[in-house]
Amino acid sequence: MAGRAQIPTNNSSLIAMIADEDTVTGFLLAGVGNVDLRRKTNYLIVDSKTTVKAIEDAFKEFTAKEDIAIILISQYVANMIRFLVDSYNKPVPAILEIPSKDHPYDPSHDSVLSRVKYLFSAESVASERR
Amino acid sequence: MSGQSQRLNVVPTVTMLGVVKARLVGATRGHALLKKKSDALTVQFRQILKKIVSTKESMGEIMKTSSFALTEAKYVAGENIKHIVLENVQNASLKVRSRQENVAGVKLPKFDYFTDGETKNDLTGLARGGQQVQLCRAAYVKAIEVLVELASLQTSFLTLDEAIKTTNRRVNALENVVKPRLENTITYIKGELDELEREDFFRLKKIQGYKKREMQRQLAAAKQFAEEQFAEKVSLHKGVSINTAHNLLSAAAEKDEDIIF
């Protein structure tokens, strides 16, 4: 329909990561990391010294880049920039919250699931915590 | 909102009535179709939501397994593994491809992942623990699979959400604004046409009455004229004045029984 944002049919898109060192290492081992000509990487390692501003900038940069289709972000990092993650409503790239070693997965904070919590007052989302 | 369900400003003619009726039929049909589409989309939506919830759960499990594998690899290969891996990053070998799927009339994006080029096995500098590293890598690749599927579910979910909202908005608009407006217009046109017809009828009746009175007046005038003529003839004949002639005539017209002529 006219006016609706077209989802680009991309033939090769990257997976970006904003997570702690261990998680990123694991994924880089699998072969997801990419360094392009301008020495820009598609991942950001977050440790105790990373500022919230740096995380915000990286997030904005990844969402603006056209060849990134998925952004994996650790849940505790997502909590730091919760407002940015929640206000992001474009379908591409998809934002996935993954658990980290010290912070197990908490569905009540997931930006997508919290949006539909009203649909399932006593069902699935709550049942996970049980 | 200024007076809900106003009517359109049209010239109240029979043609316009036909046009507006056709539009009402179109609006009704469109409303029914959109409602069906909205219901179909909602069904899909709930299905996807269920899948998302279950996939997220399994994703949590898989990430845990991969973390364990990584810890093992770290233990065996030494702590340097992180730096080695970081340094060896060049081009991504795991990429995703996105395509569009048509579900109930809505284009949903779907991701598949594919391996582009061979996985770099040249982890230069890694002295020991090659097997553990391979295991770890396999675990993470599996995690990526699940994550890619989750991502495509999530995007379709968000897109469907948008589509449902738009469709519902259209359904409500048709039901609460467009149809009442068209119905009011039809009532208005019908009312105006009826009024015009009544005016016409009334005018016709008035003219008929007028004509009838004219006829009667003419008839009376003609009769009077005829009487005058006859009276003149009688007066000339008998040699009396007109008035006496009139009296004679009226007397004759009365036909008194006592007078015997």
Side-chain angles (χ1 to χ4, degrees):
Chain A
M1 300 239 140
R4 212 172 337 147
Q6 297 295 25
I7 299 155
T9 0
N10 220 330
N11 252 332
S12 71
S13 304
L14 305 169
I15 303 177
M17 286 162 292
I18 305 179
D20 57 326
E21 202 173 2
D22 289 333
T23 325
V24 173
T25 314
F27 282 120
L28 289 180
L29 193 55
V32 186
N34 187 40
V35 176
D36 65 9
L37 302 158
R38 275 188 253 139
R39 308 296 301 170
K40 280 241 171 89
T41 58
N42 66 336
Y43 56 89
L44 175 72
I45 300 185
V46 172
D47 54 16
S48 48
K49 286 187 249 90
T50 331
T51 58
V52 178
K53 178 110 188 10
I55 303 177
E56 276 180 33
D57 289 340
F59 183 79
K60 286 194 199 137
E61 188 194 319
F62 288 154
T63 49
K65 267 171 92 171
E66 284 204 356
D67 56 353
I68 292 186
I70 307 179
I71 301 183
L72 302 173
I73 182 163
S74 282
Q75 203 151 40
Y76 75 100
V77 177
N79 284 333
M80 282 196 253
I81 51 170
R82 179 54 59 194
F83 62 98
L84 259 187
V85 172
D86 276 348
S87 63
Y88 177 78
N89 55 1
K90 281 181 271 167
V92 171
I95 313 262
L96 283 182
E97 299 189 12
I98 55 181
S100 67
K101 209 164 50 163
D102 321 315
H103 306 84
Y105 185 63
D106 185 8
S108 64
H109 280 126
D110 192 310
S111 66
V112 167
L113 286 186
S114 61
R115 233 180 292 184
V116 286
K117 234 194 299 211
Y118 68 92
L119 280 179
F120 295 87
S121 46
E123 289 181 42
S124 0
V125 173
S127 71
E128 280 181 20
R129 263 181 277 150
R130 236 125 281 155
Chain B
M1 267 256 186
S2 54
Q4 345 145 282
S5 51
Q6 293 172 318
R7 54 171 176 80
L8 307 162
N9 267 330
V10 286
V11 183
T13 62
V14 181
T15 336
M16 280 314 291
L17 182 66
V19 164
V20 176
K21 269 195 180 158
R23 276 166 70 172
L24 181 66
V25 166
T28 318
R29 209 178 298 153
H31 175 256
L33 284 175
L34 275 180
K35 230 179 172 7
K36 276 196 213 139
K37 175 171 174 175
S38 165
D39 288 340
L41 288 181
T42 313
V43 163
Q44 288 286 340
F45 186 72
R46 288 191 179 253
Q47 277 180 353
I48 289 192
L49 185 61
K50 271 202 201 111
K51 263 202 281 187
I52 284 190
V53 171
S54 67
T55 318
K56 280 213 182 237
E57 249 174 81
S58 68
M59 186 255 305
E61 286 299 318
I62 291 193
M63 290 295 301
K64 253 201 294 196
T65 335
S66 333
S67 286
F68 282 151
L70 180 64
T71 324
E72 277 176 18
K74 259 203 286 187
Y75 177 66
V76 176
E79 282 293 323
N80 289 332
I81 186 169
K82 281 185 252 176
H83 305 290
I84 296 170
V85 169
L86 273 170
E87 273 162 40
N88 270 319
V89 174
Q90 288 148 21
N91 280 325
S93 51
L94 273 187
K95 299 203 189 140
V96 286
R97 191 181 5 221
S98 57
R99 49 192 173 86
Q100 305 224 7
E101 265 189 7
N102 193 325
V103 171
V106 180
K107 287 202 177 6
L108 297 178
K110 258 190 134 29
F111 297 124
D112 335 290
Y113 91 107
F114 66 104
T115 329
D116 179 31
E118 348 72 45
T119 4
K120 313 174 303 308
N121 272 320
D122 49 336
L123 291 165
T124 44
L126 201 54
R128 28 189 195 131
Q131 196 190 31
Q132 294 294 30
V133 170
Q134 297 294 62
L135 280 177
C136 177
R137 170 180 284 158
Y140 267 100
V141 168
K142 206 156 76 132
I144 296 267
E145 269 184 46
V146 175
L147 284 171
V148 165
E149 192 186 317
L150 190 56
S152 70
L153 280 178
Q154 200 165 295
T155 21
S156 357
F157 174 80
L158 289 174
T159 324
L160 259 187
D161 195 26
E162 277 282 331
I164 288 184
K165 282 206 189 90
T166 327
T167 319
N168 278 342
R169 222 176 282 152
R170 287 202 197 113
V171 169
N172 289 338
L174 275 180
E175 191 178 308
N176 295 325
V177 177
V178 174
K179 277 202 341 197
R181 229 192 287 175
L182 288 176
E183 280 161 10
N184 282 357
T185 318
I186 288 185
T187 332
Y188 162 72
I189 294 183
K190 281 206 183 132
E192 291 289 308
L193 284 178
D194 278 345
E195 199 174 313
L196 283 172
E197 197 183 311
R198 265 179 278 143
E199 273 181 25
D200 245 9
F201 189 65
F202 182 71
R203 206 178 301 139
L204 217 69
K205 275 274 177 259
K206 257 243 174 302
I207 289 185
Q208 275 183 356
Y210 186 66
K211 277 222 165 88
K212 214 190 300 188
R213 269 190 310 220
E214 270 293 316
M215 286 291 296
Q216 283 181 348
R217 213 178 301 147
Q218 275 190 4
L219 227 67
K223 208 191 315 186
Q224 185 139 25
F225 186 62
E227 272 187 17
E228 299 255 321
Q229 288 271 20
F230 195 53
E232 250 189 63
K233 227 182 359 183
V234 165
S235 74
L236 279 176
H237 208 62
K238 294 254 170 76
V240 293
S241 72
I242 303 275
N243 268 341
T244 336
H246 266 294
N247 285 336
L248 277 175
L249 277 174
S250 43
E254 274 174 29
K255 292 252 185 294
D256 211 0
E257 285 97 46
D258 294 343
I259 304 174
I260 310 168
F261 266 99

Short mmCIF file of all heavy atoms in Angstrom, two decimals, chain B residues 19 22 24 55 79 90 111 114 132 148-149 154 169 199 203 256:
data_model
loop_
_atom_site.label_atom_id
_atom_site.label_comp_id
_atom_site.label_asym_id
_atom_site.label_seq_id
_atom_site.Cartn_x
_atom_site.Cartn_y
_atom_site.Cartn_z
N VAL B 19 -26.55 7.56 -7.26
CA VAL B 19 -25.10 7.57 -7.04
C VAL B 19 -24.79 7.27 -5.58
O VAL B 19 -23.95 6.42 -5.25
CB VAL B 19 -24.52 8.94 -7.46
CG1 VAL B 19 -23.14 9.12 -6.90
CG2 VAL B 19 -24.50 9.05 -8.96
N ALA B 22 -25.35 3.69 -4.63
CA ALA B 22 -24.28 2.80 -5.08
C ALA B 22 -23.08 2.90 -4.15
O ALA B 22 -22.45 1.89 -3.80
CB ALA B 22 -23.87 3.19 -6.51
N LEU B 24 -23.14 3.61 -1.03
CA LEU B 24 -23.45 2.93 0.24
C LEU B 24 -23.24 1.43 0.10
O LEU B 24 -22.70 0.77 0.99
CB LEU B 24 -24.88 3.25 0.66
CG LEU B 24 -25.30 2.62 1.98
CD1 LEU B 24 -24.49 3.20 3.11
CD2 LEU B 24 -26.77 2.85 2.24
N THR B 55 9.79 -19.85 21.38
CA THR B 55 11.15 -19.75 20.85
C THR B 55 12.06 -18.99 21.81
O THR B 55 13.23 -19.34 21.98
CB THR B 55 11.16 -19.06 19.48
OG1 THR B 55 10.07 -19.53 18.72
CG2 THR B 55 12.45 -19.32 18.75
N GLU B 79 43.16 -18.05 28.54
CA GLU B 79 42.34 -16.85 28.49
C GLU B 79 42.55 -16.05 27.22
O GLU B 79 41.78 -15.15 26.92
CB GLU B 79 42.65 -15.95 29.70
CG GLU B 79 42.00 -16.41 30.98
CD GLU B 79 40.48 -16.28 30.93
OE1 GLU B 79 39.99 -15.30 30.35
OE2 GLU B 79 39.81 -17.18 31.44
N GLN B 90 37.55 -10.64 10.18
CA GLN B 90 37.66 -9.87 8.94
C GLN B 90 36.30 -9.68 8.31
O GLN B 90 35.62 -8.69 8.50
CB GLN B 90 38.58 -10.60 7.95
CG GLN B 90 40.00 -10.56 8.33
CD GLN B 90 40.69 -11.82 7.88
OE1 GLN B 90 40.19 -12.50 6.99
NE2 GLN B 90 41.81 -12.14 8.49
N PHE B 111 13.64 -13.93 7.64
CA PHE B 111 15.10 -14.02 7.52
C PHE B 111 15.51 -15.48 7.41
O PHE B 111 14.99 -16.33 8.14
CB PHE B 111 15.76 -13.45 8.77
CG PHE B 111 15.50 -11.99 8.97
CD1 PHE B 111 14.94 -11.56 10.14
CD2 PHE B 111 15.80 -11.07 7.99
CE1 PHE B 111 14.69 -10.21 10.34
CE2 PHE B 111 15.54 -9.73 8.18
CZ PHE B 111 15.00 -9.30 9.36
N PHE B 114 22.60 -17.78 6.09
CA PHE B 114 23.37 -18.64 5.22
C PHE B 114 24.84 -18.35 5.43
O PHE B 114 25.23 -17.31 5.94
CB PHE B 114 22.98 -18.43 3.76
CG PHE B 114 23.32 -17.08 3.23
CD1 PHE B 114 24.42 -16.89 2.39
CD2 PHE B 114 22.56 -15.98 3.56
CE1 PHE B 114 24.72 -15.65 1.89
CE2 PHE B 114 22.87 -14.73 3.06
CZ PHE B 114 23.95 -14.57 2.23
N GLN B 132 37.84 -28.20 21.62
CA GLN B 132 36.85 -27.46 22.40
C GLN B 132 36.41 -26.23 21.66
O GLN B 132 35.23 -25.86 21.69
CB GLN B 132 37.46 -27.05 23.76
CG GLN B 132 37.77 -28.22 24.66
CD GLN B 132 36.49 -28.93 25.09
OE1 GLN B 132 35.49 -28.97 24.37
NE2 GLN B 132 36.53 -29.52 26.25
N VAL B 148 18.12 -16.23 14.52
CA VAL B 148 17.64 -15.70 13.25
C VAL B 148 16.16 -15.97 13.09
O VAL B 148 15.38 -15.11 12.68
CB VAL B 148 18.45 -16.29 12.08
CG1 VAL B 148 17.74 -16.04 10.78
CG2 VAL B 148 19.83 -15.68 12.04
N GLU B 149 15.77 -17.20 13.47
CA GLU B 149 14.33 -17.51 13.36
C GLU B 149 13.53 -16.59 14.27
O GLU B 149 12.48 -16.07 13.89
CB GLU B 149 14.11 -18.96 13.75
CG GLU B 149 12.73 -19.43 13.39
CD GLU B 149 12.49 -20.82 13.91
OE1 GLU B 149 13.43 -21.65 13.76
OE2 GLU B 149 11.41 -21.07 14.45
N GLN B 154 9.88 -12.03 15.12
CA GLN B 154 9.63 -10.74 15.76
C GLN B 154 9.27 -9.67 14.75
O GLN B 154 8.34 -8.88 14.96
CB GLN B 154 10.88 -10.32 16.53
CG GLN B 154 10.57 -9.29 17.57
CD GLN B 154 11.72 -9.19 18.54
OE1 GLN B 154 12.01 -10.12 19.27
NE2 GLN B 154 12.38 -8.07 18.52
N ARG B 169 -8.54 0.49 11.98
CA ARG B 169 -8.87 1.90 11.87
C ARG B 169 -9.82 2.11 10.70
O ARG B 169 -10.82 2.83 10.80
CB ARG B 169 -7.59 2.69 11.64
CG ARG B 169 -7.53 3.97 12.44
CD ARG B 169 -6.22 4.64 12.23
NE ARG B 169 -5.17 4.02 13.00
CZ ARG B 169 -3.88 4.04 12.64
NH1 ARG B 169 -3.52 4.62 11.54
NH2 ARG B 169 -2.99 3.47 13.40
N GLU B 199 -45.12 19.42 -3.22
CA GLU B 199 -45.33 20.78 -3.73
C GLU B 199 -46.01 20.73 -5.08
O GLU B 199 -46.96 21.46 -5.34
CB GLU B 199 -43.97 21.47 -3.88
CG GLU B 199 -43.51 22.15 -2.62
CD GLU B 199 -42.16 22.82 -2.87
OE1 GLU B 199 -41.88 23.15 -4.02
OE2 GLU B 199 -41.43 23.00 -1.89
N ARG B 203 -49.60 22.18 -6.02
CA ARG B 203 -49.76 23.19 -7.05
C ARG B 203 -50.80 22.73 -8.08
O ARG B 203 -51.65 23.49 -8.51
CB ARG B 203 -48.42 23.43 -7.73
CG ARG B 203 -48.33 24.81 -8.33
CD ARG B 203 -46.98 25.05 -8.97
NE ARG B 203 -45.91 24.91 -8.01
CZ ARG B 203 -44.76 24.31 -8.28
NH1 ARG B 203 -44.53 23.79 -9.46
NH2 ARG B 203 -43.82 24.21 -7.35
N ASP B 256 -96.52 29.93 -10.95
CA ASP B 256 -97.45 30.00 -9.83
C ASP B 256 -98.74 29.20 -10.19
O ASP B 256 -99.28 29.35 -11.28
CB ASP B 256 -97.83 31.48 -9.62
CG ASP B 256 -98.12 31.73 -8.15
OD1 ASP B 256 -98.00 30.77 -7.37
OD2 ASP B 256 -98.42 32.88 -7.81
#
